[in-house]
């Protein structure tokens, strides 16, 4: 059976969920990597690996969704709770821009005290006052929160964000798009269809977004396939996803830590990267990150189907809240990509190449 499926994959034929599960559960890791790497070069023949110079600040950690995998959020009145003004955030963006950042990935908790105007002002002022950075703002949960607070529909909220200049949305908040899992780890966050619906409406308007997956907690292999099938189906509708970004659950300081005390292995990460590349036949980019599983594993992921190395992450607070800290800078990212045998290429949020680093820079 596996041999027949491999043949289909090599012939660039779509595999079914049943065939996907067979591959995920029974393929040897190196066979998976080999197949995924072949697809990577069919889709992206150049030996470039892209990266973006970015920062992931947060405007508030107030949240009323209480996901049990999250160490980041606080309730009002708790120690360490914060909400920054638009002025404070613009100042932060300017400082990032001065350091060469081109993408700001901005997310927060779902804070019901913030009016919709706060978000619109954040976008419009960023575009006007910090034009060097691209506002890659707000996860689906925050967008659903904006709809609740403003009494507008999801479509109307997205339309207004589009009108003030937003063009892309980060793909966070998907976790595992299988309701059996969602009910247990994020019961107040809504269903898989809620995430898919925000993305569908966004793509219909013209937004681009990433799609993500947080694995390594209570999900089964079947749930992974359901997740990828949901994402693949939506991509067939509008081709609005730029890239797929998997990462493992980080248990530190989360309620879920009591049940899942460790994060998934590097081997599982490589399997997720390769399997995503194989299953998501309508995605051009798969991100193998230096950040989420460590630099060495990130480098190996570039030989398992990944063609993007993620962002430089000048600021990151969500994983840090779970005691997972990993730092780099642009020069190191360039070196890591080179060491892996590829040509580093700085990209925009929309995966357009800004410059390539063909030659080693002088010391
Ligand atoms: S993951 Fe997001 S929505 Fe869930 S509790 Fe954390 S901040 Fe809130």
């Amino acid at each position: 059976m596996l041999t027949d499926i491999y043949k289909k994959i090599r012939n660039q034929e779509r595999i079914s969920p049943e065939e996907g599960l067979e591959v995920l559960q029974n393929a040897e890791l190196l066979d998976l990597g080999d197949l995924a790497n072949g697809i990577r070069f069919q889709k992206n023949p150049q030996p470039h690996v892209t990266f973006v110079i970015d920062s992931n600040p947060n405007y508030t950690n107030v949240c009323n969704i209480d996901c049990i995998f999250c160490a980041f959020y606080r309730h009002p009145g708790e120690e360490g709770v914060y909400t920054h003004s638009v002025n404070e955030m613009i100042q932060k963006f300017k400082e990032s821009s001065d350091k060469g950042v081109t993408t700001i990935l901005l997310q927060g908790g779902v804070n019901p005290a913030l009016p919709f105007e706060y978000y619109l002002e954040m976008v419009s002022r960023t575009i006007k006052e910090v034009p060097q950075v691209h506002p890659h703002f707000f996860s689906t949960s925050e967008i659903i929160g904006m709809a609740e607070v403003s009494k507008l529909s999801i479509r109307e909220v997205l339309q207004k964000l589009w009108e003030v200049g937003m063009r892309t949305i980060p793909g966070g908040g998907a976790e595992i798009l299988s309701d059996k899992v969602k009910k247990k780890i994020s019961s107040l966050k809504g269903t898989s269809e809620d995430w898919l619906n925000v993305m569908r409406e966004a793509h219909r308007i013209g937004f681009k977004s990433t799609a993500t997956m947080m694995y390594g907690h209570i999900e089964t292999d079947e749930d992974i396939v359901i997740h990828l099938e949901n994402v693949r189906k939506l991509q067939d509708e509008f081709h609005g996803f730029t890239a797929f970004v998997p990462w493992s659950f980080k248990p530190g300081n989360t309620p879920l830590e009591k049940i899942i005390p460790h994060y998934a292995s590097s081997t599982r990460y490589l399997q997720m990267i390769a399997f995503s590349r194989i299953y998501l036949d309508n995605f051009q980019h798969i991100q193998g990150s230096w950040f989420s599983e460590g630099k060495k594993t990130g480098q190996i992921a570039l030989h398992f189907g990944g063609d993007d190395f993620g962002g430089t992450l000048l600021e990151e607070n969500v994983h840090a809240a779970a005691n997972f800290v990993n730092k780099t800078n642009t020069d190191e990212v360039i070196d890591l990509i080179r060491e892996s045998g590829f040509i580093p290429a700085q990209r925009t949020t929309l995966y357009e190449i800004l410059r390539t680093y063909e030659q080693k820079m002088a010391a």
Side-chain angles (χ1 to χ4, degrees):
M1 171 114 178
L2 265 184
T3 320
D4 294 340
I5 304 173
Y6 288 175
K7 209 165 151 194
K8 273 180 95 168
I9 294 168
R10 287 206 179 89
N11 289 337
Q12 302 185 47
E13 288 172 45
R14 177 165 284 193
I15 58 170
S16 68
E18 295 71 27
E19 289 168 330
L21 190 59
E22 174 73 19
V23 169
L24 183 57
Q25 294 189 321
N26 296 311
E28 294 290 340
L29 182 62
L30 291 181
D31 289 343
L32 265 190
D34 184 48
L35 288 165
N37 209 31
I39 300 168
R40 178 261 196 247
F41 281 105
Q42 281 161 6
K43 290 199 180 293
N44 303 283
Q46 300 298 326
H48 295 118
V49 164
T50 47
F51 69 95
V52 64
I53 303 180
D54 70 349
S55 188
N56 290 18
N58 306 97
Y59 57 93
T60 183
N61 62 355
V62 175
C63 190
N64 60 8
I65 306 286
D66 295 359
C67 304
I68 64 167
F69 59 82
C70 179
F72 168 75
Y73 76 97
R74 297 287 180 275
H75 290 146
E78 276 183 2
E79 200 187 332
V81 73
Y82 65 83
T83 299
H84 294 305
S85 67
V86 176
N87 275 345
E88 286 169 330
M89 294 312 296
I90 294 289
Q91 188 50 39
K92 224 178 222 297
F93 301 163
K94 283 183 179 162
E95 287 163 15
S96 297
S97 172
D98 290 345
K99 291 176 185 156
V101 163
T102 63
T103 293
I104 298 282
L105 194 167
L106 181 70
Q107 295 182 123
V110 181
N111 183 346
L114 291 173
F116 186 34
E117 291 67 32
Y118 171 92
Y119 302 95
L120 296 176
E121 187 188 342
M122 188 82 80
V123 178
S124 58
R125 283 190 56 191
T126 303
I127 287 167
K128 206 165 139 210
E129 297 176 36
V130 205
Q132 301 85 349
V133 304
H134 176 112
H136 191 45
F137 289 1
F138 313 133
S139 66
T140 55
S141 312
E142 291 154 276
I143 290 166
I144 293 168
M146 289 176 214
E148 280 167 12
V149 119
S150 65
K151 311 280 180 243
L152 296 172
S153 66
I154 297 290
R155 168 91 187 184
E156 287 165 333
V157 164
L158 287 164
Q159 193 62 49
K160 286 191 183 296
L161 290 169
W162 178 272
E163 281 162 16
V164 291
M166 231 173 82
R167 292 293 179 267
T168 64
I169 295 174
E175 285 84 56
I176 294 287
L177 295 169
S178 163
D179 288 332
K180 169 163 74 69
V181 176
K182 279 202 167 290
K183 263 189 205 130
K184 289 189 185 146
I185 64 169
S186 53
S187 59
L188 301 178
K189 204 172 196 171
T191 61
S192 305
E193 185 48 36
D194 289 329
W195 187 93
L196 290 162
N197 180 46
V198 174
M199 286 298 176
R200 184 179 295 109
E201 289 303 319
H203 294 170
R204 204 192 299 279
I205 290 170
F207 284 97
K208 297 286 181 191
S209 73
T210 51
T212 63
M213 175 171 76
M214 187 191 72
Y215 66 90
H217 39 93
I218 61 163
E219 85 287 346
T220 60
D221 284 344
E222 285 82 356
D223 294 317
I224 299 271
V225 174
I226 291 170
H227 180 92
L228 293 180
E229 176 65 11
N230 274 322
V231 166
R232 189 172 75 175
K233 267 194 193 149
L234 181 53
Q235 181 75 327
D236 279 341
E237 288 185 48
F238 296 102
H239 288 271
F241 291 122
T242 50
F244 186 71
V245 189
W247 67 79
S248 66
F249 162 62
K250 305 297 184 301
N253 301 325
T254 71
L256 193 51
E257 184 181 19
K258 288 192 186 79
I259 304 167
I260 315 282
H262 304 293
Y263 56 92
S265 67
S266 300
T267 308
R268 182 68 167 167
Y269 181 63
L270 296 176
Q271 191 190 28
M272 290 297 109
I273 290 282
F275 184 64
S276 308
R277 174 58 91 188
I278 291 166
Y279 200 85
L280 298 176
D281 57 358
N282 50 10
F283 273 65
Q284 190 170 356
H285 303 294
I286 303 288
Q287 188 179 110
S289 160
W290 64 271
F291 173 73
S292 65
E293 321 299 314
K295 292 169 188 170
K296 287 285 167 214
T297 307
Q299 285 180 303
I300 300 167
L302 300 178
H303 295 276
F304 276 71
D307 68 299
D308 182 77
F309 211 41
T312 53
L313 291 179
L314 191 70
E315 179 178 346
E316 200 286 329
N317 307 305
V318 175
H319 279 71
N323 295 335
F324 184 87
V325 179
N326 203 1
K327 292 260 175 214
T328 193
N329 55 49
T330 305
D331 286 349
E332 190 187 27
V333 163
I334 291 167
D335 282 346
L336 289 169
I337 294 172
R338 277 211 184 102
E339 272 175 31
S340 313
F342 297 93
I343 298 170
Q346 187 193 341
R347 66 163 170 85
T348 65
T349 318
L350 288 163
Y351 288 77
E352 301 144 332
I353 290 184
L354 293 171
R355 65 175 290 196
T356 58
Y357 295 80
E358 309 279 343
Q359 303 294 327
K360 192 160 178 57
M361 285 181 295

